[in-house]
Each structure stands twice: as C-alpha cells, then as structure tokens.
Amino acid sequence: MKVWLGGPYPLGATYDGAGTNFSLFSETAERVELCLFDEEGIETRVDLPEVDAFCWHGYLPAVAPGQRYGYRVHGPSDWSKGQRANPAKLLLDPYAKAVSGEVTWNPAVFGYRFAHPETSNRVNSAPFVPRSVVVNPYFDWGHDHPPKTAWHDTVVYELHVKGFTTQHPDVEPELRGTYAGLASQPVIDYLCHLGVSAVELMPVHQFIHDAGLIQRGLRNYWGYNSIGYLAPHAAYSSGGQDGQQVQEFKAMVKRFHQAGIEVILDVVYNHTAEGNHLGPTLCYRGIDNPAYYRLTEDDRRYYKDFTGTGNTLNMRNPHVLQLIMDSLRYWVIEMHVDGFRFDLASALARELHDVDRLSTFFDLIQQDPVVSQVKLIAEPWDVGEGGYQVGNFPPLWSEWNGKYRDCVRDFWRGEDRALAEFAFRFTGSSDLYELSGRRPYASINFMTAHDGFTLADLVSYQEKHNQANGEGNRDGTDDNRSWNCGVEGPTDDPSIASLRRRQQRNLLTTLVLSQGVPMLLGGDELGHSQGGNNNAYCQD
C-alpha cells in the first residue's frame, strides 16, 4: 500500500478527491499505526511516516470515503505520570467526522485487568470498539443561508432527535427517531405552527452508552457522554453509518433553514465518555492522556472531576483548545448550524481551580471570526466548588437563567417573598446582566428543560420518582420547587386536574411574556409527563 508523507494539518482524515490525508496529535507517542479495516473487518496496519509539532501524519492515495479506520499508539505507560499508551487498544480519531458501530463492553476495552487493576491489559480491543470513518466532504447546499434570527425575535424549542419522532404517527416509520424524520414535513409544519424560531438539539455528537447502564438494561438516552466532537451520532441516521449520517444531518439543517428555523446544538466539551481511571480506553486516554485530561497533581493516575462524570477535559492545553475550536468551526462552516448551548460551561472556564471569566477559552471564542458570530448559550454552572456562575459570563454569551426558573416556580407555588425577585426576572434580570453591558436577551428564560420535571410533572409531583433509573431514587435533584396541587401524581379529581391545567397556563404565559429569550421544552405544550422522573437520562 502506498503511503506518502502528507501534511500535519488539517488534523483527522481529509479526503481531497484523490486520496486521504491522516493526521493525529500526540505529544507522548513514539510510534503511531493507522489501522484500516475492510468490509469483512480484516485489519491492515500502516505506520504514519512523519511527525511535525507532535502531529503524526501520512497520505494514502488509495483511501476513499467509507473507509473505516482507527489508531494504535505506542509510547510510555507509567500511570503515576499520567502516561497510558497501549497499542493493544484500537483508538478512535478525535477528529473523526463519522463513527461506525458501538462499544461492546468486553474487558478488552479497558487498559487494566479487572482481577489486577494495577497491571496493564494487553488484549486487543479492536473486535469490541467502533471505527472512525473517512467521509465525503461534498454536499449540495444549493442556496442555503442561515436565518440569522435576531435574539429579540428568537423562540428556542429544546428537543431530542430520536424522542421527538420515534412515535410520531405522521412521520414515515422508517424515518422515526432519525435526522431525516426530524426534518420531515409534518415536523417542520408543526414547529412553524408553534412559532418556533430555533430548535436546540440535545447532544448529537457521537456518544457512548455507559457499561453500567447497559448492565441494568438501560441506555444513555440523553447523550451527554461524547466521544467524537466532529461526528454526528450514527444511530440517528436512517441511511447508514459509513458517512451517510453526515449527509443526512446536512440535509436536515438545510430543510430547517428553508423553513426559517435555526439549529442550535447542545455540546458537551467539558468531559468525555472515557470516565475516570477505571474507565475504558477508547480514544483520548490512549492517544495522550496528560494532554487531554485534568489530572491530580499528587498522583497523575487519577482525574480531576468538575463534571460529576469521572473526568474533565484539560482546557489549559492548547491542543485541547484547538480541538474544541476546530469542532465548533466545523459545525458552523461545514454543517451550517446556527449556534451552540454549552453543557456545564463553567467547567470550560476553569484554568487552575476557580472559574475564570477571562479564561483562554472565552478569549478564543471572542476573537474567532466564525464562532463569535453565531448564537452562544452557556449552562452557567458545573458540580465543582464555585461553579454556579449565572450572570457572570462575558459579552457575546447568553445563559440558561437558572435563577429565572427557580424564582418563577416559587412565585406560582405561592412561596413567601418571591414577588420582589419575580419583578427582576420578569423584566429581563437586569440585576444579573446590566452591569456587564448585556441586554435582556442574555437571559434564556425557561421553566423546564430536559434536566428535571416536565411542565406537567412540575404541577403534579412534589417529590421525584426516579426508581426506573435503577439507582434507588438517589439520582436527580431534590430541589424541584414544584407543587402537586394537593395529590401526588395522577388523579381523577376534576378540580385538581383543572387547577393543574391552569397552573401550566400560568407558567407558560409568564414565560412568553417575560423579557428575554423564551425556551420551551419539547412536549410541554402537549402535557408530556415522565411519571415524576426528574432525571430521565437513561429512559430510552
């Protein structure tokens, strides 16, 4: 097989019409093998012949779109220093634009032996892990252009790609739960009828279903467990997983734009699906663990966790920042999305320990000629100390206003001393945003979101009922600020049912009349219930 030197940039697999350039960053690597897989799964290994500025690269003139591949990285393996190179583990490309297959939870996908956790596991993981895929970058966008809806005219509608159409009677059965189904005419017509100007899609980056959930017969439904930041989640494709998901996602965006609807992505750049030191080796951990992750200072085999997931991406490393910025630009330039909602955004601003509103991440966003021009929404908190940062993000940013949600819920359930704060929240939360020169549209007002009760459950349940998650009802918040109107859960009492409907109307009317940008949780307008589950992340 012919292998030319190629170039270090762009990172990832780039098809140019005649062949494919491969480039992978790893500062710790001593050797990198590119692994190509044919249709029968037979593996062919090729050493990347050149390295420049820690980017290992090569050009293969025979490789075309649809080619499945991965990497094996050779290098030091001293866990106490954070070094976890293990060439027995097939690794995804961090810049893969498509991923095929899912993880099979075999012990081989872990870098240590279960019986002896201090010893390295050298069993080949290739039969049990997904593959990266070379994609065709060409797509006929026609006359597509972003709607560029002004913030003061924006109505955001949060939805789940699969969940929104999986039981939709007017969507063709073979398209339900897919990008194509979401872009079907019945869905477009419904959203236009509602007056929605932007859909905020729950995570569509390639994600992994956790081993613990699979063992309990559950799945990571929400998708906040990313493993590929440039790849649309393959399971949402109706056409296949060998690059078809990219074309289908682009076609979906094009259809939304034709209807005047913007597409905002919920992105999870604060952590990855590899978990803590006991998690699997699927990508970043095996490529350059100390570059990609925040490690503890005293023993670098362990991970700092500001996200509650086991790890935190290392925003102090320039190559991690480059990955995130390259990902954001890719989704805007190549996939034509119109904005981003950043999950646990406070974690992205932690340079040392404290959340820093002048962090490098914000500087990069501010100066970037592409990313700075789209809608930027922060979830302004994380689980670390000092992580609650509502009102503290810099100009350009809007924020999920958690104080609005809490205050308005308190007001309508009759809590004492709620009126004074309600006046601030109803009129744009000037106490939070005015001093930094931001306008009312910095406040994304919401009553409910994917995380917590639905609107119907907010007026039907006093307590969470998360038993179906298999965690003994310990997961999910206990601070619901809800009122069940006198009876917990479903009731046949017509007076209570009438009161609940009136309370829902009160909350929705407050939302649409408040200064700021309203966000509606998909299904709330129809009275969707989760049976009191306020953390339905694993209920597929």
Side-chain angles (χ1 to χ4, degrees), residues 348-378:
L348 302 176
R350 290 185 183 271
E351 297 246 335
L352 294 174
H353 173 75
D354 293 334
V355 178
D356 182 2
R357 70 190 301 270
L358 301 178
S359 74
T360 304
F361 174 71
F362 290 135
D363 290 343
L364 289 173
I365 295 287
Q366 178 77 32
Q367 60 81 39
D368 190 273
V370 174
V371 180
S372 66
Q373 299 306 302
V374 301
K375 287 182 166 67
L376 302 171
I377 302 171

Side-chain angles (χ1 to χ4, degrees), residues 289-301:
N289 187 59
Y292 279 110
Y293 293 116
R294 295 287 299 271
L295 306 177
T296 58
E297 284 81 8
D298 53 337
D299 188 343
R300 292 173 64 79
R301 80 184 64 204

